[in-house]
Coordinates of all heavy atoms in Angstrom, one line a residue:
M1 N 14.2 -12.4 2.5 CA 12.9 -12.1 3.2 C 13.1 -10.9 4.1 O 14.0 -10.7 4.8 CB 12.5 -13.3 4.0 CG 11.2 -13.2 4.7 SD 10.7 -14.7 5.4 CE 9.0 -14.8 4.9
L2 N 12.0 -10.1 4.0 CA 12.1 -8.8 4.8 C 11.8 -9.1 6.2 O 11.1 -10.1 6.6 CB 11.0 -7.8 4.2 CG 11.3 -7.3 2.8 CD1 10.2 -6.4 2.4 CD2 12.6 -6.5 2.8
D3 N 12.3 -8.3 7.1 CA 12.0 -8.3 8.5 C 10.5 -8.1 8.8 O 9.9 -7.3 8.2 CB 12.8 -7.2 9.2 CG 12.7 -7.3 10.7 OD1 12.2 -8.3 11.3 OD2 13.2 -6.4 11.4
A4 N 9.9 -9.0 9.6 CA 8.5 -8.9 9.9 C 8.1 -7.9 10.9 O 6.9 -7.7 11.1 CB 8.0 -10.3 10.4
A5 N 9.0 -7.2 11.5 CA 8.8 -6.2 12.5 C 7.9 -5.1 12.1 O 6.9 -4.7 12.7 CB 10.1 -5.7 13.2
P6 N 8.2 -4.4 10.9 CA 7.3 -3.4 10.5 C 5.9 -3.8 10.2 O 4.9 -3.1 10.6 CB 7.9 -2.9 9.1 CG 9.4 -3.3 9.2 CD 9.4 -4.6 10.0
E7 N 5.7 -5.0 9.6 CA 4.4 -5.5 9.4 C 3.6 -5.7 10.7 O 2.5 -5.4 10.9 CB 4.4 -6.9 8.7 CG 3.1 -7.6 8.4 CD 2.4 -7.1 7.2 OE1 3.1 -6.7 6.2 OE2 1.2 -7.1 7.1
K8 N 4.3 -6.3 11.7 CA 3.7 -6.5 13.0 C 3.4 -5.2 13.7 O 2.2 -5.1 14.3 CB 4.6 -7.4 13.9 CG 4.7 -8.8 13.5 CD 5.7 -9.6 14.4 CE 5.8 -11.0 14.0 NZ 6.7 -11.8 14.8
A9 N 4.2 -4.3 13.7 CA 3.9 -3.0 14.3 C 2.8 -2.3 13.6 O 1.9 -1.7 14.3 CB 5.2 -2.1 14.2
L10 N 2.7 -2.3 12.2 CA 1.6 -1.6 11.6 C 0.3 -2.3 11.9 O -0.8 -1.7 12.1 CB 1.8 -1.7 10.0 CG 2.6 -0.5 9.5 CD1 2.9 -0.8 8.0 CD2 1.9 0.8 9.6
R11 N 0.3 -3.7 12.0 CA -0.9 -4.4 12.3 C -1.4 -4.1 13.7 O -2.5 -3.8 13.9 CB -0.7 -5.9 12.2 CG -0.7 -6.4 10.8 CD -2.0 -7.2 10.5 NE -1.8 -7.7 9.2 CZ -2.6 -7.5 8.2 NH1 -3.7 -6.7 8.3 NH2 -2.4 -8.0 7.0
A12 N -0.4 -4.2 14.7 CA -0.8 -3.9 16.1 C -1.3 -2.5 16.3 O -2.3 -2.3 17.0 CB 0.4 -4.1 16.9
E13 N -0.6 -1.5 15.7 CA -1.0 -0.1 16.0 C -2.2 0.4 15.1 O -2.9 1.3 15.6 CB 0.2 0.8 15.9 CG 1.2 0.5 16.9 CD 2.4 1.4 16.8 OE1 2.3 2.6 16.6 OE2 3.6 0.9 17.0
H14 N -2.2 0.0 13.9 CA -3.2 0.6 13.0 C -4.1 -0.4 12.2 O -4.9 0.0 11.4 CB -2.4 1.4 11.9 CG -1.6 2.5 12.5 ND1 -2.0 3.6 13.2 CD2 -0.2 2.6 12.6 CE1 -1.0 4.3 13.6 NE2 0.1 3.7 13.4
G15 N -3.8 -1.7 12.4 CA -4.6 -2.7 11.7 C -4.4 -2.7 10.2 O -5.2 -3.1 9.4
L16 N -3.2 -2.3 9.8 CA -2.8 -2.3 8.4 C -1.6 -3.2 8.0 O -0.7 -3.4 8.9 CB -2.4 -0.8 7.9 CG -3.4 0.3 8.0 CD1 -2.8 1.6 7.7 CD2 -4.5 0.0 7.0
S17 N -1.6 -3.7 6.8 CA -0.5 -4.5 6.4 C 0.5 -3.5 5.7 O 0.1 -2.3 5.4 CB -0.9 -5.5 5.4 OG -1.3 -4.9 4.1
V18 N 1.7 -3.9 5.5 CA 2.7 -3.0 4.7 C 2.1 -2.7 3.4 O 2.3 -1.5 2.9 CB 4.0 -3.7 4.7 CG1 5.0 -2.9 3.8 CG2 4.6 -3.9 6.1
V19 N 1.5 -3.6 2.7 CA 0.9 -3.3 1.4 C -0.2 -2.3 1.5 O -0.2 -1.4 0.7 CB 0.4 -4.7 0.7 CG1 -0.3 -4.4 -0.6 CG2 1.5 -5.6 0.5
E20 N -1.1 -2.4 2.4 CA -2.2 -1.5 2.6 C -1.6 -0.1 2.9 O -2.0 0.9 2.3 CB -3.1 -1.9 3.7 CG -3.9 -3.1 3.3 CD -4.6 -3.7 4.5 OE1 -4.1 -3.7 5.6 OE2 -5.6 -4.4 4.3
Y21 N -0.5 0.0 3.7 CA 0.1 1.2 4.0 C 0.7 1.9 2.8 O 0.6 3.1 2.6 CB 1.2 1.1 5.1 CG 1.9 2.3 5.5 CD1 1.4 3.3 6.3 CD2 3.1 2.6 4.8 CE1 2.0 4.5 6.6 CE2 3.8 3.8 5.0 CZ 3.3 4.8 5.9 OH 3.9 5.9 6.1
A22 N 1.4 1.0 2.0 CA 2.0 1.5 0.8 C 1.0 2.1 -0.2 O 1.2 3.1 -0.8 CB 2.8 0.4 0.1
V23 N -0.2 1.5 -0.3 CA -1.2 2.0 -1.2 C -1.7 3.3 -0.7 O -1.8 4.3 -1.4 CB -2.4 1.0 -1.3 CG1 -3.6 1.6 -1.9 CG2 -1.9 -0.3 -2.0
L24 N -2.0 3.4 0.6 CA -2.5 4.7 1.2 C -1.4 5.8 1.1 O -1.7 7.0 0.8 CB -2.8 4.5 2.7 CG -4.1 3.7 2.9 CD1 -4.2 3.5 4.4 CD2 -5.3 4.4 2.3
E25 N -0.1 5.5 1.2 CA 0.9 6.4 1.1 C 1.0 6.9 -0.3 O 1.2 8.1 -0.6 CB 2.2 5.8 1.6 CG 3.4 6.8 1.8 CD 4.1 7.1 0.6 OE1 4.2 6.2 -0.3 OE2 4.6 8.2 0.5
A26 N 0.9 6.0 -1.3 CA 1.0 6.4 -2.7 C -0.2 7.3 -3.1 O -0.1 8.3 -3.8 CB 1.0 5.2 -3.6
L27 N -1.4 6.9 -2.6 CA -2.6 7.7 -2.9 C -2.5 9.1 -2.3 O -3.0 10.1 -2.8 CB -3.8 7.0 -2.5 CG -4.3 5.8 -3.3 CD1 -5.4 5.0 -2.6 CD2 -4.6 6.2 -4.7
G28 N -1.9 9.1 -1.1 CA -1.8 10.4 -0.3 C -0.9 11.4 -1.1 O -1.0 12.6 -0.8
R29 N 0.0 10.9 -1.9 CA 0.9 11.8 -2.7 C 0.2 12.3 -3.9 O 0.7 13.2 -4.6 CB 2.2 11.1 -3.1 CG 3.1 10.8 -1.9 CD 4.4 10.2 -2.4 NE 4.2 8.7 -2.4 CZ 4.6 8.0 -3.4 NH1 5.1 8.4 -4.5 NH2 4.4 6.6 -3.4
Q30 N -1.0 11.9 -4.2 CA -1.7 12.3 -5.4 C -2.7 13.4 -5.1 O -3.3 13.4 -4.1 CB -2.5 11.1 -6.0 CG -1.7 9.9 -6.5 CD -0.6 10.4 -7.5 OE1 -0.9 11.0 -8.5 NE2 0.6 10.1 -7.2
D31 N -2.9 14.3 -6.0 CA -3.8 15.4 -5.9 C -5.2 14.7 -6.1 O -5.6 14.2 -7.1 CB -3.6 16.4 -6.9 CG -4.5 17.6 -6.8 OD1 -4.9 17.9 -5.6 OD2 -4.9 18.2 -7.8
G32 N -6.0 14.8 -5.0 CA -7.4 14.3 -5.1 C -7.5 12.8 -4.7 O -8.6 12.2 -4.9
W33 N -6.5 12.2 -4.3 CA -6.5 10.8 -3.8 C -7.0 9.8 -4.8 O -7.8 8.9 -4.5 CB -7.4 10.7 -2.5 CG -6.7 11.1 -1.3 CD1 -6.3 12.4 -1.0 CD2 -6.1 10.3 -0.3 NE1 -5.7 12.5 0.2 CE2 -5.5 11.2 0.7 CE3 -6.1 9.0 0.0 CZ2 -5.0 10.7 1.8 CZ3 -5.5 8.4 1.1 CH2 -4.9 9.4 2.0
H34 N -6.7 10.0 -6.1 CA -7.1 9.0 -7.1 C -6.0 8.8 -8.1 O -5.2 9.7 -8.4 CB -8.4 9.5 -7.8 CG -8.2 10.8 -8.5 ND1 -7.6 10.8 -9.8 CD2 -8.5 12.1 -8.2 CE1 -7.6 12.1 -10.2 NE2 -8.1 12.9 -9.2
M35 N -6.0 7.6 -8.7 CA -5.0 7.2 -9.7 C -5.4 5.9 -10.3 O -6.2 5.1 -9.7 CB -3.6 7.2 -9.2 CG -3.3 6.1 -8.2 SD -1.7 6.3 -7.3 CE -0.5 6.7 -8.5
R36 N -5.0 5.6 -11.5 CA -5.4 4.3 -12.2 C -4.7 3.2 -11.4 O -3.6 3.4 -10.9 CB -4.9 4.4 -13.6 CG -5.6 5.4 -14.4 CD -5.2 5.2 -15.9 NE -6.0 6.1 -16.7 CZ -7.2 5.8 -17.2 NH1 -7.8 4.7 -16.9 NH2 -7.8 6.7 -18.0
M37 N -5.3 2.1 -11.4 CA -4.8 0.9 -10.7 C -3.4 0.5 -11.2 O -2.5 0.1 -10.4 CB -5.8 -0.3 -10.8 CG -7.1 -0.2 -10.1 SD -6.8 0.0 -8.3 CE -6.3 -1.6 -7.9
Q38 N -3.2 0.6 -12.5 CA -1.9 0.3 -13.1 C -0.8 1.3 -12.5 O 0.3 0.8 -12.2 CB -1.9 0.4 -14.6 CG -0.6 -0.1 -15.2 CD -0.7 -0.1 -16.7 OE1 -1.5 0.7 -17.3 NE2 0.1 -0.9 -17.4
Q39 N -1.1 2.6 -12.4 CA -0.2 3.5 -11.8 C 0.1 3.2 -10.3 O 1.2 3.3 -9.9 CB -0.8 4.9 -11.9 CG -0.9 5.5 -13.3 CD -1.7 6.8 -13.3 OE1 -2.7 6.9 -12.9 NE2 -1.0 7.8 -13.9
L40 N -1.0 2.8 -9.6 CA -0.9 2.5 -8.2 C 0.0 1.3 -8.0 O 0.9 1.3 -7.2 CB -2.3 2.3 -7.6 CG -2.3 2.0 -6.1 CD1 -1.7 3.1 -5.3 CD2 -3.7 1.7 -5.7
A41 N -0.1 0.3 -8.9 CA 0.6 -0.9 -8.8 C 2.2 -0.6 -9.0 O 3.0 -1.1 -8.3 CB 0.2 -2.0 -9.8
R42 N 2.4 0.3 -10.0 CA 3.8 0.6 -10.3 C 4.3 1.5 -9.1 O 5.5 1.3 -8.7 CB 3.9 1.5 -11.6 CG 4.0 0.6 -12.8 CD 4.5 1.5 -14.0 NE 3.6 2.6 -14.2 CZ 2.6 2.6 -15.2 NH1 2.4 1.6 -15.9 NH2 1.9 3.8 -15.3
A43 N 3.5 2.4 -8.6 CA 4.0 3.3 -7.5 C 4.3 2.5 -6.2 O 5.2 2.9 -5.5 CB 3.0 4.3 -7.3
T44 N 3.6 1.4 -6.0 CA 3.9 0.6 -4.8 C 4.5 -0.6 -5.1 O 4.6 -1.5 -4.1 CB 2.5 0.4 -4.1 OG1 1.6 -0.3 -5.0 CG2 1.8 1.7 -3.7
A45 N 5.0 -0.9 -6.3 CA 5.7 -2.2 -6.7 C 4.8 -3.3 -6.4 O 5.3 -4.3 -5.9 CB 7.0 -2.2 -6.0
L46 N 3.5 -3.2 -6.7 CA 2.6 -4.3 -6.4 C 2.2 -5.2 -7.6 O 1.6 -6.2 -7.4 CB 1.2 -3.8 -5.8 CG 1.3 -3.1 -4.5 CD1 -0.1 -2.5 -4.1 CD2 1.8 -3.9 -3.4
S47 N 2.7 -4.8 -8.7 CA 2.4 -5.7 -9.9 C 3.0 -7.0 -9.7 O 4.1 -7.2 -9.3 CB 2.9 -5.0 -11.2 OG 4.2 -4.6 -11.0
G48 N 2.1 -8.0 -9.8 CA 2.5 -9.4 -9.5 C 2.3 -9.9 -8.1 O 2.4 -11.1 -7.8
V49 N 1.9 -8.9 -7.2 CA 1.6 -9.4 -5.8 C 0.1 -9.5 -5.7 O -0.7 -8.5 -6.1 CB 2.1 -8.3 -4.9 CG1 1.7 -8.6 -3.4 CG2 3.6 -8.2 -4.9
E50 N -0.3 -10.5 -5.1 CA -1.8 -10.7 -4.9 C -2.2 -10.0 -3.6 O -1.7 -10.2 -2.6 CB -2.1 -12.2 -4.8 CG -3.6 -12.5 -4.8 CD -3.9 -14.0 -4.9 OE1 -3.2 -14.7 -5.7 OE2 -4.8 -14.4 -4.1
V51 N -3.2 -9.1 -3.8 CA -3.8 -8.4 -2.7 C -5.2 -8.9 -2.4 O -6.0 -8.8 -3.3 CB -3.7 -6.9 -2.9 CG1 -4.2 -6.1 -1.7 CG2 -2.3 -6.4 -3.2
D52 N -5.5 -9.2 -1.2 CA -6.8 -9.7 -0.9 C -7.6 -8.7 -0.1 O -7.3 -8.5 1.1 CB -6.7 -11.0 -0.1 CG -8.0 -11.6 0.2 OD1 -9.0 -11.4 -0.5 OD2 -8.1 -12.4 1.3
W53 N -8.4 -7.9 -0.7 CA -9.3 -6.9 -0.1 C -10.7 -7.2 -0.1 O -11.4 -7.5 -0.8 CB -9.0 -5.5 -0.6 CG -7.6 -4.9 -0.3 CD1 -6.9 -5.3 0.8 CD2 -6.9 -4.0 -1.0 NE1 -5.7 -4.6 0.8 CE2 -5.7 -3.8 -0.3 CE3 -7.1 -3.3 -2.2 CZ2 -4.7 -2.9 -0.7 CZ3 -6.1 -2.5 -2.6 CH2 -5.0 -2.2 -1.9

């Protein structure tokens, strides 16, 4: 299990989860802020993780 400190800090300071931050970071590396969902899942290692947005 990962340390909960980064999650708590992101929530407290920015209202983001680690997953949400990873998605924004991956999109930020793309030209034009767009990519296919499958690419995004691979880039953030989210395939198999349930995200509730």
